[in-house]
């Protein structure tokens, strides 16, 4: 057990950083395999469920490695909010006929609606948004109390 913990600590070391730019880059790095996989297998997944399974496995493995290597406090919450909000919005759009995915699904209750990998992808997107919008480029000046109504607290 101790050797596994030591191994993970050594593996995580290059990814531990306080630099916001690197944190965004690492999130993008973990999204690239999923995006490339959709580019390669996405069209084939519309006619053969085996490709949907391959995509789901690639997404799952990528997310597991992402959480093992760059997980920070609160990441699981953002991942789950992304699944619920992003995936829920996607599902709602398809139920209402706004658009639909051509990829076959492996989950019977999503049949004809959306593939499981898309739900997981929304979780990853929210993690990227979290890191991106925590970058200093997107932060304004610090909050200062000025005791005037609607201008500060």
């Amino acid at each position: 057990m101790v050797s596994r913990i030591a191994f993970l600590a050594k593996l995580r070391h290059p990814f531990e950083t306080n630099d916001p730019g690197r944190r965004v880059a690492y999130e993008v790095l973990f999204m690239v395999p999923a995006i490339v996989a959709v580019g390669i297998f996405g069209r084939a997944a519309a006619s053969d469920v085996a490709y949907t399974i391959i995509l789901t496995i690639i997404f799952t493995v990528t997310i597991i490695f992402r959480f093992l290597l760059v997980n920070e406090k609160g990441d699981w919450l953002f991942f789950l909010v992304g699944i619920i909000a992003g995936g829920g919005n996607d599902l709602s759009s398809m139920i209402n006929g706004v658009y639909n995915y051509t990829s076959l699904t492996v989950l019977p209750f999503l049949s004809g609606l959306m593939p499981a990998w898309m739900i997981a992808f929304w979780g990853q997107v929210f993690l990227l948004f979290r890191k991106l919008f925590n970058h200093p480029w997107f932060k304004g000046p610090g909050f200062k109390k000025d005791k005037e109504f609607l201008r500060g607290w």
Side-chain angles (χ1 to χ4, degrees):
M1 181 68 176
V2 174
S3 63
R4 286 184 188 169
I5 294 171
F7 173 74
L8 278 176
K10 286 181 185 177
L11 195 60
R12 273 186 70 131
H13 176 66
F15 293 98
E16 290 179 358
T17 182
N18 289 329
D19 178 23
R22 282 184 126 175
R23 291 171 63 212
V24 171
Y26 291 148
E27 288 297 333
V28 170
L29 176 72
F30 284 103
M31 288 184 79
V32 167
I35 293 168
V36 170
V38 170
I40 294 170
F41 300 117
R43 193 173 293 262
S47 59
D48 189 352
V49 75
Y51 291 104
T52 301
I53 294 170
I54 291 169
L55 284 170
T56 304
I57 290 169
I58 291 170
F59 272 76
T60 303
V61 169
T62 302
I63 289 168
I64 289 170
F65 274 108
R66 185 253 172 249
F67 275 103
L68 287 174
L69 298 175
V70 297
N71 187 41
E72 295 179 8
K73 184 178 181 180
D75 279 355
W76 278 106
L77 177 65
F78 274 82
F79 184 72
L80 292 175
V81 167
I83 286 174
I84 293 167
N89 181 54
D90 241 0
L91 186 60
S92 175
S93 296
M94 284 175 279
I95 289 171
N96 292 315
V98 177
Y99 60 88
N100 60 12
Y101 290 103
T102 58
S103 182
L104 300 174
T105 185
V106 293
L107 300 173
F109 62 90
L110 290 176
S111 183
L113 295 175
M114 69 189 300
W117 57 263
M118 191 64 216
I119 298 169
F121 189 66
W122 274 110
Q124 273 192 301
V125 168
F126 269 59
L127 288 169
L128 176 63
F129 286 167
R130 177 185 187 200
K131 301 295 170 34
L132 184 64
F133 294 127
N134 198 28
H135 198 283
W137 294 335
F138 295 100
K139 290 186 176 180
F143 179 78
K144 296 177 184 174
K145 286 187 174 185
D146 61 7
K147 297 185 181 180
E148 290 185 33
F149 187 67
L150 296 178
R151 292 196 54 210
W153 295 43

